[in-house]
Amino acid sequence: MAPRHFENPFEDYKPGISVQIPEQKVLELIHHYVSQILSNQKSQLTNDRRGDLYVGCSGIAFMFLKLSQSSVAASFPDALVHAKTYIEHSKQLSQRYLRRDNEKVSFLCGNAGIFAVSAAISKATGDSDSFSRDLAVFNEGFPVTQQIVFNDYGNDEILFGRAGFLSGIYWLNGVLGEKVFSETQILDVCHTMFASGHEFARKKQLSVPLMYECYGDQYIGAAHGISAIFHMFLQSKIMEEKKFSEVIKASIDHLLSLQAADGNFPAAMDEVKPQASNYRLVHWCHGAPGVIYVFAKAYLVFKESKYLDACHKCADLVWKKGLLLKGPGICHGIAGNGYVFLMMYRLTGDQKFLYRAIKFFEFLTNPDFLKHARTPDHPFSLYEGIAGTVCYLIDLLEPQKASFPFMEVF
């Protein structure tokens, strides 16, 4: 089988090594990527068919918003102006979908995400009228989440289901500096998501108490899968309700039992193999780099070392196999895997993980990477392209604040 990753050319961290973030080099690469995005703006606006966060212009708007709020903001004085340009384009594209119930919930791949980011940009620019309108559109998703079935593909995962809508709620409550959504609203979504997973597991007569389906498969990873769904439960006060928390924890423990000897996870339940150690996908979307976040959150919630041990196994695998040939992005690229180390650095304070995060940055300018890495289908986008890479580089400069987009752990 063809290789999926570059061989890691770096020596791993050894105690006593001085770890320093090469701030000037990181900033130079940020400038390089932002210049590429802006010089290709016309083609991005012309070719964008959906405007979504995943590969559309609202994802680039999110990147510029993040730039405007970062320690490098002074180097990008027009960041919010560019954010406004990209989000207005996305909102124009969104108009044709405003009446569709599934779009009102869809966060990474639909209207909910577009209007969430627009609300944050409106707040940042002091446009109170647009802010109110944006929030009103986002709020239309709440009644839709109370339908068990509202989407033909899946109703609960993070790209276009309830988990994604919850990630938008958590993000907005954090970035806006005020709790615009109540715990009652969040619990209503969580209770319906719980009922959905419980009913599916019952109908399929599964041994795990909660399971979810997307595109007809029972996915495990962050995109489409149970790990991101469980993660969103852990961020809510549903965990204070014993009848729910015990079931959620049992489901997370079942997920933990699927970890292979090398630290990885299968993409879906039909790929589970006893004593497997050769699951091939090492991406945020499928594999350990996405699953790690639910165990990090579980460790903080339950205080049990088994979850931290699982995180260490995931991180060691990413160090070995995470320099992906697929490119620089965060969904299935080097920046997304680098985020694993930034999260682990925040979780543990271990300099090893900051060292590893810096090495993954360095590989982005490695001649082998520049020559042999694949060009993504959407090379400037948030999840596939360099907009997401810019987010990683911003977070590398501020590792104590680092967070994979919309996957907050702390």
Side-chain angles (χ1 to χ4, degrees):
M1 289 185 284
R4 305 186 69 89
H5 63 89
F6 295 93
E7 291 299 316
N8 190 329
F10 305 111
E11 288 189 14
D12 203 354
Y13 175 80
K14 292 184 177 65
I17 291 178
S18 175
V19 180
Q20 294 186 335
I21 299 167
E23 294 183 2
Q24 188 57 39
K25 290 183 179 180
V26 174
L27 187 57
E28 287 173 2
L29 191 55
I30 291 173
H31 274 282
H32 173 68
Y33 285 145
V34 172
S35 295
Q36 281 191 311
I37 290 169
L38 289 176
S39 65
N40 288 277
Q41 184 183 83
K42 184 176 180 180
S43 67
Q44 295 154 24
L45 298 176
T46 300
N47 296 325
D48 189 9
R49 303 300 182 198
R50 185 60 202 79
D52 61 17
L53 279 170
Y54 190 78
V55 295
C57 283
S58 63
I60 300 175
F62 169 82
M63 180 211 75
F64 277 112
L65 175 66
K66 187 174 179 73
L67 266 179
S68 76
Q69 299 169 333
S70 74
S71 63
V72 299
S75 296
F76 299 92
D78 297 323
L80 279 178
V81 176
H82 296 310
K84 194 74 172 175
T85 297
Y86 280 101
I87 202 63
E88 288 300 326
H89 174 80
S90 293
K91 287 168 72 173
Q92 289 176 14
L93 292 176
S94 76
Q95 297 303 304
R96 73 189 78 171
Y97 306 114
L98 285 176
R99 294 185 179 180
R100 298 184 184 179
D101 278 357
N102 61 320
E103 289 284 343
K104 296 174 182 178
V105 177
S106 182
F107 189 71
L108 295 184
C109 292
N111 277 13
I114 293 171
F115 283 91
V117 171
S118 184
I121 293 170
S122 296
K123 183 70 178 286
T125 56
D127 188 343
S128 57
D129 290 340
S130 291
F131 174 70
S132 297
R133 290 194 296 270
D134 293 336
L135 272 189
V137 176
F138 184 86
N139 270 301
E140 292 178 7
F142 279 101
V144 180
T145 64
Q146 298 309 292
Q147 305 171 31
I148 293 293
V149 177
F150 59 84
N151 194 311
D152 292 338
Y153 310 125
N155 301 282
D156 298 286
E157 52 81 82
I158 200 167
L159 267 69
F160 42 73
R162 273 177 280 260
F165 193 71
L166 283 167
S167 74
I169 293 169
Y170 299 142
W171 177 72
L172 281 171
N173 271 352
V175 77
L176 296 178
E178 57 180 312
K179 299 287 186 181
V180 291
F181 306 111
S182 70
E183 292 298 339
T184 299
Q185 287 176 298
I186 293 170
L187 280 172
D188 284 345
V189 181
C190 287
H191 288 154
T192 308
M193 190 162 75
F194 183 96
S196 174
H198 193 268
E199 178 62 15
F200 181 79
R202 185 193 66 79
K203 282 184 177 180
K204 295 291 185 179
Q205 298 182 318
L206 303 176
S207 58
V208 60
L210 294 176
M211 183 53 66
Y212 298 85
E213 183 179 55
C214 183
Y215 294 122
D217 288 311
Q218 297 167 31
Y219 284 107
I220 290 168
H224 307 311
I226 56 176
S227 62
I229 295 171
F230 297 158
H231 182 173
M232 297 308 144
F233 279 135
L234 291 174
Q235 288 186 248
S236 84
K237 289 194 173 182
I238 197 172
M239 301 309 298
E240 297 176 5
E241 303 177 54
K242 188 175 181 180
K243 66 179 180 179
F244 297 113
S245 64
E246 289 181 345
V247 174
I248 292 166
K249 187 177 188 297
S251 300
I252 292 171
D253 287 343
H254 179 267
L255 171 62
L256 179 61
S257 73
L258 305 179
Q259 189 170 34
D262 67 353
N264 208 6
F265 291 83
M269 291 300 295
D270 61 359
E271 297 179 17
V272 173
K273 303 171 185 175
Q275 300 179 329
S277 61
N278 61 345
Y279 299 124
R280 301 190 69 221
L281 301 183
V282 186
H283 309 164
W284 170 80
C285 48
H286 299 294
V291 179
I292 191 173
Y293 294 100
V294 70
F295 293 129
K297 189 67 180 178
Y299 173 66
L300 294 175
V301 171
F302 300 119
K303 314 297 184 188
E304 294 183 18
S305 61
K306 64 183 179 182
Y307 301 119
L308 182 59
D309 292 343
C311 289
H312 279 285
K313 290 177 183 177
C314 289
D316 287 344
L317 171 77
V318 173
W319 175 248
K320 294 172 184 174
K321 297 183 178 181
L323 294 171
L324 300 178
L325 282 158
K326 283 198 168 190
I330 62 172
C331 182
H332 35 263
I334 289 174
N337 286 352
Y339 261 118
V340 167
F341 306 130
L342 291 180
M343 187 278 293
M344 287 296 289
Y345 178 62
R346 287 190 67 183
L347 187 67
T348 68
D350 190 334
Q351 289 284 303
K352 171 177 70 175
F353 296 113
L354 184 58
Y355 170 90
R356 289 177 172 183
I358 292 168
K359 293 305 177 185
F360 270 43
F361 146 71
E362 290 178 4
F363 197 74
L364 292 169
T365 57
N366 183 289
D368 281 346
F369 174 76
L370 296 175
K371 181 177 180 179
H372 298 293
R374 298 168 195 163
T375 301
D377 292 337
H378 303 87
F380 308 105
S381 66
L382 180 60
Y383 276 78
E384 289 188 1
I386 57 176
T389 315
V390 170
C391 293
Y392 172 67
L393 297 176
I394 293 169
D395 281 337
L396 181 59
L397 292 175
E398 302 177 285
Q400 296 294 352
K401 300 179 182 178
S403 178
F404 190 101
F406 315 112
M407 296 285 287
E408 183 58 69
V409 170
F410 303 96

